Amino acid sequence: MNPDVLWRYAPSLVSGFGVTVLCWSAGGALGIVLGFVIALALRAPIPPLRWILRVFIEIFRGTPFLVQLFLLYAGGPYVGFKLSATTAGILGLGLYSSAYFAENFRAGFAAVPVGQIEAATSVGMSPFDTLMRVTLPSALISATPAIVNMLIVLSKETVVLSIITVPELMYQMQTMAAETFTAFDAIFAMAVFYWLLVETVSRLGHRVEARVTQFLAREGAFA
Amino acid sequence: MIEIRGLSKRFGGLEVLRGVDLDVRQSEVVCLIGPSGSGKSTLLRCVNFLEPYDAGAVRIDGKLIGYEDLPDGTRRPMGARKLREMRREIGMVFQHFNLWPHMTAIGNVAEPLVRVRGLAGGEASERALAMLTRVGLSAKADAYPSHLSGGQQQRVAIARALAMQPRLMLFDEPTSALDPELVGEVLEVMRSLASEGMTMLIVTHEMGFAAHVAGRIAFIDGGRILDEGPPAHVFHHSAEPRVRQFLQTYKDRNAF
């Protein structure tokens, strides 16, 4: 271990950490929004739309994230769009995770007990109110644990962005390792940074989860 | 008030209801009894068209529910808005309560008042609290369903239906999912409703309750009403062997 090296590189490491958090949160937010829209669209009775979305999901779940990222960043210019590394990284994370988030939301919708919807129907609630007030909240509650889990997975996927030169933590670490021949220090420091990030995210996640799923704590106990 | 004529319904190849005729008059309490799978829950669910029927008619105050008769003798499905308007007037209580788990007890009761009746929040809460008081649960107004016992949840569900000020109430095995000790509190609420003159159609396995509260009992098996009449008749003087057999089994099981 060489504390001097770490100290010297602290500014770039911290900025790398910042970029990692930015890519993760922006990519995750994009993925959640996109995934939610996909899950909603999958419920529409339009078979061709459903078919296209299924293919989208299968492609993004069925290929490695690294490959998707390369196609987006390196392949983009061939089909007429050029993205900065960070933009491509965020977009890549968003697209990739949206396929998983869509499945999380879909499962959440599927988990809404039909009786809750029947209760809304029996009092004469409109389909829109039923969706907004009953189906959606119930589906979101069910989907929360899986979504938190996916966010944690995603925070670790951000290391892949270093491959397309996004100046995130992994990239900064590699630079430091290459310039100072301190491979072990770099990897060790990185493990600490990531562990801190993941630990914080999962703590936060568990709090959100506990808050949201308290309503379901004893559901079914009397059914 | 409810007029059911020749009601038929099939699920695929299975005929669940085969030409059921039944009337429920204003302020009358009618209990539907019979073995599982006899079609009694389906019959009840056809009354508010939660279950679409294939043939026959269900009329509420003379108005056909679920379909519109056309001049040429055919019928077409009723418009969604009109169907919702009819459902507002029919309260329903389910076997598994079906409360909305993300809303408090008072939230569950107030929600339809706001969304369907268009009441302002404060007014809705006020009426919801009055309804909870009526079922003896004003102290639990802010509790979530997951923190209520089954009997309490079912009473909230009854309050939710009552708050809409329905003209009639449907109960689909309201006590079947409850611990035996919690059945009484729910039946008590239903009994008081009956004494206030609410029109009620109840699917139940609680024969004692049916015998004391119902004005009329209909015994259903195989999608048909086999016998119908005042409790004393159905329970003690039915000529139908199937009815007597069913009641005998029930008595044997409950004797100890």
Side-chain angles (χ1 to χ4, degrees):
Chain A
M1 283 296 282
N2 189 341
D4 291 345
V5 173
L6 285 176
W7 185 245
R8 199 143 40 84
Y9 277 83
S12 70
L13 297 185
V14 168
S15 115
F17 186 69
V19 173
T20 291
V21 171
L22 170 80
C23 290
W24 167 70
S25 48
L30 179 65
I32 286 176
V33 170
L34 209 54
F36 182 68
V37 171
I38 292 171
L40 265 189
L42 278 172
R43 292 168 60 78
I46 310 168
L49 177 67
R50 228 178 320 192
W51 193 79
I52 291 168
L53 292 174
R54 286 305 326 174
V55 170
F56 173 88
I57 290 175
E58 291 312 317
I59 287 176
F60 278 93
R61 290 204 311 170
T63 56
F65 176 52
L66 181 62
V67 174
Q68 297 167 16
L69 199 60
F70 260 133
L71 280 174
L72 191 66
Y73 183 62
Y78 288 100
V79 290
F81 63 91
K82 187 157 172 33
L83 302 169
S84 79
T86 306
T87 311
I90 291 172
L91 193 61
L93 281 173
L95 287 171
Y96 165 75
S97 63
S98 74
Y100 290 88
F101 286 126
E103 286 293 82
N104 296 159
F105 285 120
R106 194 192 54 76
F109 278 119
V112 179
V114 71
Q116 287 181 28
I117 296 163
E118 282 188 346
T121 308
S122 76
V123 293
M125 228 187 260
S126 70
F128 179 76
D129 282 339
T130 305
L131 176 70
M132 296 306 286
R133 303 293 301 172
V134 177
T135 315
L136 268 186
S138 199
L140 293 183
I141 289 168
S142 310
T144 300
I147 285 168
V148 168
N149 189 51
M150 184 59 207
L151 280 173
I152 292 170
V153 171
L154 199 64
S155 72
K156 287 182 281 190
E157 292 284 9
T158 54
V159 292
V160 176
L161 301 190
S162 64
I163 307 263
I164 59 164
T165 72
V166 176
E168 46 73 80
L169 191 57
M170 177 80 176
Y171 182 83
Q172 302 290 12
M173 286 293 177
Q174 283 173 333
T175 308
M176 178 181 102
E179 287 173 6
T180 61
F181 308 106
T182 50
F184 176 76
D185 301 56
I187 290 168
F188 180 78
M190 197 165 90
V192 171
F193 268 115
Y194 270 101
W195 181 78
L196 270 177
L197 175 65
V198 172
E199 195 63 12
T200 313
V201 171
S202 59
R203 286 279 159 102
L204 273 173
H206 281 130
R207 282 172 71 158
V208 172
E209 231 178 282
R211 207 184 151 78
V212 161
T213 53
Q214 62 174 332
F215 311 119
L216 307 177
R218 281 161 66 197
E219 196 186 43
F222 300 96
Chain B
M1 172 163 259
I2 309 177
E3 192 188 303
I4 300 170
R5 290 291 174 271
L7 191 68
S8 298
K9 161 87 189 171
R10 48 169 63 238
F11 289 118
L14 183 71
E15 257 189 301
V16 206
L17 296 174
R18 314 191 226 193
V20 172
D21 296 323
L22 183 71
D23 286 287
V24 181
R25 288 181 291 273
Q26 173 89 43
S27 293
E28 197 180 17
V29 177
V30 175
C31 282
L32 302 172
I33 64 170
S36 313
S38 58
K40 52 195 192 310
S41 281
T42 307
L43 171 59
L44 190 81
R45 290 161 60 87
C46 283
V47 174
N48 66 352
F49 212 68
L50 217 47
E51 203 73 73
Y53 49 89
D54 303 325
V58 175
R59 286 174 210 283
I60 313 290
D61 286 330
K63 190 164 166 32
L64 185 68
I65 190 164
Y67 296 103
E68 276 166 294
D69 282 322
L70 299 176
D72 64 358
T74 60
R75 51 167 60 158
R76 63 160 183 231
M78 185 177 232
R81 185 179 297 271
K82 280 188 188 158
L83 182 56
R84 287 206 295 276
E85 274 166 20
M86 286 190 78
R87 280 181 176 145
R88 278 175 207 180
E89 312 302 324
I90 309 170
M92 181 152 187
V93 174
F94 301 85
Q95 181 176 357
H96 296 292
F97 333 132
N98 298 352
L99 294 180
W100 300 308
H102 50 286
M103 296 179 200
T104 58
I106 196 169
N108 265 276
V109 181
E111 186 67 18
L113 297 177
V114 174
R115 304 289 149 188
V116 182
R117 290 284 186 219
L119 262 59
E123 201 183 338
S125 299
E126 214 166 284
R127 199 199 285 184
L129 190 61
M131 287 301 144
L132 286 176
T133 307
R134 182 166 171 188
V135 298
L137 283 175
S138 52
K140 296 284 183 183
D142 295 321
Y144 283 94
S146 59
H147 295 110
L148 297 174
S149 75
Q152 291 169 334
Q153 289 189 57
Q154 192 61 295
R155 286 189 280 154
V156 173
I158 293 173
R160 175 172 68 182
L162 282 181
M164 291 289 289
Q165 298 179 322
R167 301 171 49 75
L168 64 114
M169 288 279 286
L170 308 174
F171 293 84
D172 189 2
E173 301 199 30
T175 58
S176 298
L178 297 177
D179 286 345
E181 286 191 311
L182 305 176
V183 169
E185 60 190 75
V186 172
L187 294 183
E188 197 43 55
V189 169
M190 292 170 65
R191 193 171 285 136
S192 85
L193 258 184
S195 70
E196 287 163 28
M198 176 61 81
T199 309
M200 295 158 78
L201 182 57
I202 304 167
V203 171
T204 187
H205 291 294
E206 294 291 330
M207 299 305 159
F209 172 81
H212 288 111
V213 179
R216 214 143 36 87
I217 307 275
F219 179 89
I220 302 183
D221 191 24
R224 282 200 184 88
I225 292 183
L226 295 187
D227 203 359
E228 183 191 337
H233 163 77
V234 175
F235 285 136
H236 302 296
H237 305 292
S238 180
E240 279 291 327
R242 184 71 185 93
V243 178
R244 300 167 73 131
Q245 182 204 353
F246 175 83
L247 291 170
Q248 192 55 51
T249 314
Y250 180 84
K251 278 181 200 151
D252 291 347
R253 198 179 56 238
N254 286 283
F256 57 85

